[in-house]
Short mmCIF file of all heavy atoms in Angstrom, two decimals:
data_model
loop_
_atom_site.label_atom_id
_atom_site.label_comp_id
_atom_site.label_asym_id
_atom_site.label_seq_id
_atom_site.Cartn_x
_atom_site.Cartn_y
_atom_site.Cartn_z
N GLY X 443 -0.99 -7.80 -11.15
CA GLY X 443 -0.05 -8.54 -10.31
C GLY X 443 0.61 -9.67 -11.05
O GLY X 443 1.03 -9.53 -12.20
N GLY X 444 0.66 -10.82 -10.38
CA GLY X 444 1.45 -11.92 -10.88
C GLY X 444 0.61 -13.03 -11.50
O GLY X 444 -0.56 -13.21 -11.20
N ALA X 445 1.26 -13.77 -12.37
CA ALA X 445 0.70 -14.99 -12.95
C ALA X 445 1.85 -15.98 -13.03
O ALA X 445 2.74 -15.83 -13.88
CB ALA X 445 0.11 -14.72 -14.33
N PRO X 446 1.89 -16.97 -12.15
CA PRO X 446 3.08 -17.84 -12.05
C PRO X 446 3.34 -18.70 -13.27
O PRO X 446 4.41 -19.30 -13.38
CB PRO X 446 2.76 -18.71 -10.82
CG PRO X 446 1.27 -18.70 -10.73
CD PRO X 446 0.84 -17.34 -11.19
N THR X 447 2.41 -18.73 -14.20
CA THR X 447 2.60 -19.53 -15.41
C THR X 447 3.12 -18.70 -16.58
O THR X 447 3.32 -19.25 -17.68
CB THR X 447 1.27 -20.20 -15.81
OG1 THR X 447 0.28 -19.17 -16.01
CG2 THR X 447 0.79 -21.15 -14.72
N LEU X 448 3.33 -17.39 -16.37
CA LEU X 448 3.75 -16.50 -17.46
C LEU X 448 5.18 -16.04 -17.26
O LEU X 448 5.69 -16.00 -16.14
CB LEU X 448 2.83 -15.28 -17.52
CG LEU X 448 1.35 -15.52 -17.84
CD1 LEU X 448 0.60 -14.20 -17.85
CD2 LEU X 448 1.19 -16.25 -19.16
N PRO X 449 5.85 -15.62 -18.33
CA PRO X 449 7.19 -15.04 -18.21
C PRO X 449 7.16 -13.70 -17.48
O PRO X 449 6.12 -13.05 -17.37
CB PRO X 449 7.64 -14.86 -19.67
CG PRO X 449 6.73 -15.71 -20.48
CD PRO X 449 5.44 -15.75 -19.74
N VAL X 450 8.33 -13.29 -17.01
CA VAL X 450 8.50 -11.99 -16.36
C VAL X 450 9.29 -11.10 -17.30
O VAL X 450 10.40 -11.47 -17.72
CB VAL X 450 9.24 -12.14 -15.01
CG1 VAL X 450 9.56 -10.76 -14.42
CG2 VAL X 450 8.41 -12.96 -14.03
N TYR X 451 8.73 -9.93 -17.60
CA TYR X 451 9.41 -8.95 -18.45
C TYR X 451 9.74 -7.70 -17.63
O TYR X 451 8.95 -7.28 -16.79
CB TYR X 451 8.52 -8.57 -19.64
CG TYR X 451 8.25 -9.70 -20.60
CD1 TYR X 451 7.10 -10.46 -20.49
CD2 TYR X 451 9.17 -10.03 -21.60
CE1 TYR X 451 6.84 -11.51 -21.36
CE2 TYR X 451 8.93 -11.07 -22.47
CZ TYR X 451 7.77 -11.82 -22.35
OH TYR X 451 7.53 -12.86 -23.22
N ALA X 452 10.89 -7.14 -17.89
CA ALA X 452 11.38 -6.00 -17.10
C ALA X 452 10.42 -4.83 -17.18
O ALA X 452 10.01 -4.42 -18.27
CB ALA X 452 12.76 -5.58 -17.59
N GLY X 453 10.08 -4.28 -16.02
CA GLY X 453 9.26 -3.09 -15.95
C GLY X 453 7.77 -3.32 -16.11
O GLY X 453 6.99 -2.37 -16.01
N GLU X 454 7.34 -4.56 -16.33
CA GLU X 454 5.94 -4.86 -16.56
C GLU X 454 5.32 -5.58 -15.37
O GLU X 454 5.97 -6.40 -14.72
CB GLU X 454 5.76 -5.77 -17.79
CG GLU X 454 6.10 -5.13 -19.10
CD GLU X 454 5.79 -6.06 -20.27
OE1 GLU X 454 4.98 -6.99 -20.10
OE2 GLU X 454 6.36 -5.85 -21.36
N HIS X 455 4.05 -5.28 -15.11
CA HIS X 455 3.23 -6.15 -14.28
C HIS X 455 2.80 -7.30 -15.19
O HIS X 455 2.36 -7.07 -16.32
CB HIS X 455 2.01 -5.42 -13.74
CG HIS X 455 2.36 -4.24 -12.88
ND1 HIS X 455 1.51 -3.76 -11.91
CD2 HIS X 455 3.45 -3.43 -12.83
CE1 HIS X 455 2.06 -2.72 -11.31
NE2 HIS X 455 3.24 -2.51 -11.87
N GLN X 456 2.88 -8.52 -14.69
CA GLN X 456 2.65 -9.65 -15.59
C GLN X 456 1.28 -9.64 -16.23
O GLN X 456 1.14 -9.97 -17.41
CB GLN X 456 2.84 -10.96 -14.82
CG GLN X 456 4.29 -11.36 -14.60
CD GLN X 456 4.37 -12.73 -13.95
OE1 GLN X 456 4.00 -12.88 -12.78
NE2 GLN X 456 4.84 -13.71 -14.67
N ALA X 457 0.25 -9.30 -15.44
CA ALA X 457 -1.10 -9.46 -15.96
C ALA X 457 -2.10 -8.72 -15.08
O ALA X 457 -1.78 -8.29 -13.97
CB ALA X 457 -1.47 -10.95 -16.03
N ARG X 458 -3.31 -8.61 -15.57
CA ARG X 458 -4.42 -8.18 -14.74
C ARG X 458 -4.87 -9.37 -13.89
O ARG X 458 -4.94 -10.50 -14.39
CB ARG X 458 -5.55 -7.66 -15.62
CG ARG X 458 -5.22 -6.33 -16.27
CD ARG X 458 -6.15 -5.96 -17.40
NE ARG X 458 -5.84 -6.70 -18.62
CZ ARG X 458 -6.35 -6.44 -19.81
NH1 ARG X 458 -7.22 -5.43 -19.93
NH2 ARG X 458 -6.02 -7.13 -20.88
N ASN X 459 -5.16 -9.12 -12.63
CA ASN X 459 -5.55 -10.20 -11.74
C ASN X 459 -6.89 -10.79 -12.15
O ASN X 459 -7.74 -10.09 -12.73
CB ASN X 459 -5.62 -9.70 -10.29
CG ASN X 459 -4.26 -9.43 -9.70
OD1 ASN X 459 -3.24 -9.91 -10.21
ND2 ASN X 459 -4.22 -8.66 -8.63
N LEU X 460 -7.08 -12.05 -11.83
CA LEU X 460 -8.35 -12.70 -12.14
C LEU X 460 -9.50 -11.94 -11.49
O LEU X 460 -9.41 -11.49 -10.34
CB LEU X 460 -8.34 -14.14 -11.67
CG LEU X 460 -7.34 -15.09 -12.35
CD1 LEU X 460 -7.46 -16.50 -11.77
CD2 LEU X 460 -7.55 -15.12 -13.87
N GLY X 461 -10.58 -11.81 -12.23
CA GLY X 461 -11.76 -11.14 -11.69
C GLY X 461 -11.69 -9.64 -11.71
O GLY X 461 -12.62 -8.98 -11.22
N VAL X 462 -10.61 -9.06 -12.25
CA VAL X 462 -10.43 -7.61 -12.26
C VAL X 462 -10.51 -7.12 -13.71
O VAL X 462 -9.58 -7.33 -14.49
CB VAL X 462 -9.10 -7.19 -11.62
CG1 VAL X 462 -8.97 -5.66 -11.63
CG2 VAL X 462 -8.98 -7.73 -10.21
N ALA X 463 -11.60 -6.46 -14.06
CA ALA X 463 -11.81 -5.98 -15.42
C ALA X 463 -11.15 -4.61 -15.56
O ALA X 463 -11.82 -3.58 -15.70
CB ALA X 463 -13.29 -5.91 -15.74
N ALA X 464 -9.83 -4.59 -15.53
CA ALA X 464 -9.06 -3.35 -15.60
C ALA X 464 -8.72 -3.04 -17.05
O ALA X 464 -8.22 -3.90 -17.78
CB ALA X 464 -7.78 -3.48 -14.78
N TYR X 465 -8.97 -1.80 -17.45
CA TYR X 465 -8.67 -1.35 -18.80
C TYR X 465 -8.10 0.06 -18.75
O TYR X 465 -8.24 0.78 -17.76
CB TYR X 465 -9.93 -1.35 -19.67
CG TYR X 465 -10.53 -2.72 -19.88
CD1 TYR X 465 -11.50 -3.21 -19.01
CD2 TYR X 465 -10.12 -3.53 -20.94
CE1 TYR X 465 -12.06 -4.48 -19.19
CE2 TYR X 465 -10.67 -4.79 -21.13
CZ TYR X 465 -11.63 -5.26 -20.25
OH TYR X 465 -12.17 -6.51 -20.44
N ALA X 466 -7.45 0.44 -19.85
CA ALA X 466 -7.03 1.83 -20.04
C ALA X 466 -8.06 2.50 -20.93
O ALA X 466 -8.30 2.05 -22.06
CB ALA X 466 -5.64 1.88 -20.68
N PHE X 467 -8.69 3.56 -20.43
CA PHE X 467 -9.67 4.31 -21.20
C PHE X 467 -9.03 5.59 -21.73
O PHE X 467 -8.30 6.27 -21.01
CB PHE X 467 -10.85 4.71 -20.31
CG PHE X 467 -12.01 3.75 -20.34
CD1 PHE X 467 -11.86 2.45 -20.78
CD2 PHE X 467 -13.27 4.15 -19.90
CE1 PHE X 467 -12.93 1.56 -20.79
CE2 PHE X 467 -14.34 3.29 -19.91
CZ PHE X 467 -14.18 1.99 -20.36
N ASN X 468 -9.33 5.91 -23.00
CA ASN X 468 -8.91 7.20 -23.51
C ASN X 468 -9.92 8.27 -23.09
O ASN X 468 -10.88 7.98 -22.36
CB ASN X 468 -8.71 7.16 -25.03
CG ASN X 468 -10.01 6.83 -25.77
OD1 ASN X 468 -11.11 6.97 -25.24
ND2 ASN X 468 -9.88 6.40 -27.01
N ALA X 469 -9.71 9.50 -23.53
CA ALA X 469 -10.57 10.61 -23.10
C ALA X 469 -12.01 10.43 -23.53
O ALA X 469 -12.92 11.03 -22.95
CB ALA X 469 -10.02 11.93 -23.64
N ARG X 470 -12.26 9.59 -24.55
CA ARG X 470 -13.63 9.34 -25.01
C ARG X 470 -14.29 8.18 -24.30
O ARG X 470 -15.41 7.79 -24.64
CB ARG X 470 -13.62 9.09 -26.53
CG ARG X 470 -13.16 10.28 -27.35
CD ARG X 470 -13.25 10.02 -28.84
NE ARG X 470 -12.37 8.93 -29.25
CZ ARG X 470 -11.07 9.07 -29.51
NH1 ARG X 470 -10.51 10.27 -29.39
NH2 ARG X 470 -10.33 8.05 -29.89
N GLY X 471 -13.58 7.61 -23.30
CA GLY X 471 -14.15 6.49 -22.56
C GLY X 471 -14.09 5.19 -23.33
O GLY X 471 -14.93 4.30 -23.12
N GLU X 472 -13.08 5.05 -24.20
CA GLU X 472 -12.93 3.83 -25.00
C GLU X 472 -11.69 3.07 -24.54
O GLU X 472 -10.64 3.69 -24.28
CB GLU X 472 -12.77 4.20 -26.49
CG GLU X 472 -13.92 5.00 -27.05
CD GLU X 472 -13.57 5.68 -28.37
OE1 GLU X 472 -12.36 5.86 -28.63
OE2 GLU X 472 -14.51 6.03 -29.11
N PRO X 473 -11.76 1.74 -24.45
CA PRO X 473 -10.57 0.97 -24.06
C PRO X 473 -9.51 1.01 -25.15
O PRO X 473 -9.83 0.92 -26.34
CB PRO X 473 -11.11 -0.45 -23.87
CG PRO X 473 -12.37 -0.50 -24.66
CD PRO X 473 -12.93 0.89 -24.66
N VAL X 474 -8.25 1.18 -24.75
CA VAL X 474 -7.16 1.24 -25.71
C VAL X 474 -6.05 0.28 -25.28
O VAL X 474 -5.88 -0.01 -24.09
CB VAL X 474 -6.58 2.67 -25.83
CG1 VAL X 474 -7.60 3.59 -26.47
CG2 VAL X 474 -6.15 3.21 -24.47
N THR X 475 -5.31 -0.22 -26.25
CA THR X 475 -4.18 -1.10 -26.01
C THR X 475 -2.92 -0.45 -26.57
O THR X 475 -2.95 0.13 -27.66
CB THR X 475 -4.39 -2.48 -26.69
OG1 THR X 475 -5.57 -3.08 -26.16
CG2 THR X 475 -3.20 -3.40 -26.44
N GLY X 476 -1.85 -0.51 -25.80
CA GLY X 476 -0.60 0.08 -26.23
C GLY X 476 -0.56 1.59 -26.09
O GLY X 476 0.39 2.23 -26.56
N GLU X 477 -1.56 2.17 -25.47
CA GLU X 477 -1.61 3.61 -25.23
C GLU X 477 -1.85 3.86 -23.74
O GLU X 477 -2.48 3.06 -23.05
CB GLU X 477 -2.75 4.26 -26.02
CG GLU X 477 -2.66 4.11 -27.52
CD GLU X 477 -3.86 4.73 -28.21
OE1 GLU X 477 -4.48 5.64 -27.61
OE2 GLU X 477 -4.19 4.29 -29.31
N VAL X 478 -1.37 5.00 -23.28
CA VAL X 478 -1.60 5.39 -21.89
C VAL X 478 -3.00 5.96 -21.77
O VAL X 478 -3.42 6.80 -22.57
CB VAL X 478 -0.57 6.43 -21.43
CG1 VAL X 478 -0.89 6.92 -20.01
CG2 VAL X 478 0.84 5.83 -21.48
N GLY X 479 -3.73 5.49 -20.77
CA GLY X 479 -5.07 6.00 -20.52
C GLY X 479 -5.37 5.99 -19.04
O GLY X 479 -4.49 5.76 -18.20
N GLU X 480 -6.61 6.25 -18.70
CA GLU X 480 -7.06 6.19 -17.32
C GLU X 480 -7.32 4.73 -16.94
O GLU X 480 -7.97 4.00 -17.69
CB GLU X 480 -8.36 6.98 -17.14
CG GLU X 480 -8.20 8.47 -17.19
CD GLU X 480 -7.80 9.06 -15.85
OE1 GLU X 480 -7.68 8.29 -14.87
OE2 GLU X 480 -7.59 10.27 -15.80
N MET X 481 -6.82 4.33 -15.75
CA MET X 481 -7.16 2.99 -15.27
C MET X 481 -8.62 2.99 -14.80
O MET X 481 -9.01 3.79 -13.95
CB MET X 481 -6.27 2.54 -14.12
CG MET X 481 -6.69 1.17 -13.57
SD MET X 481 -5.82 0.67 -12.07
CE MET X 481 -4.32 0.00 -12.77
N VAL X 482 -9.40 2.09 -15.36
CA VAL X 482 -10.79 1.93 -14.96
C VAL X 482 -11.07 0.45 -14.70
O VAL X 482 -10.38 -0.43 -15.23
CB VAL X 482 -11.76 2.46 -16.03
CG1 VAL X 482 -11.56 3.95 -16.27
CG2 VAL X 482 -11.63 1.68 -17.33
#
Side-chain angles (χ1 to χ4, degrees):
T447 58
L448 297 180
V450 173
Y451 295 96
E454 292 185 20
H455 299 206
Q456 281 185 291
R458 289 165 283 191
N459 288 342
L460 295 180
V462 182
Y465 296 91
F467 266 19
N468 62 20
R470 296 184 298 277
E472 302 163 339
V474 292
T475 300
E477 300 177 24
V478 175
E480 287 276 358
M481 177 188 277
V482 299

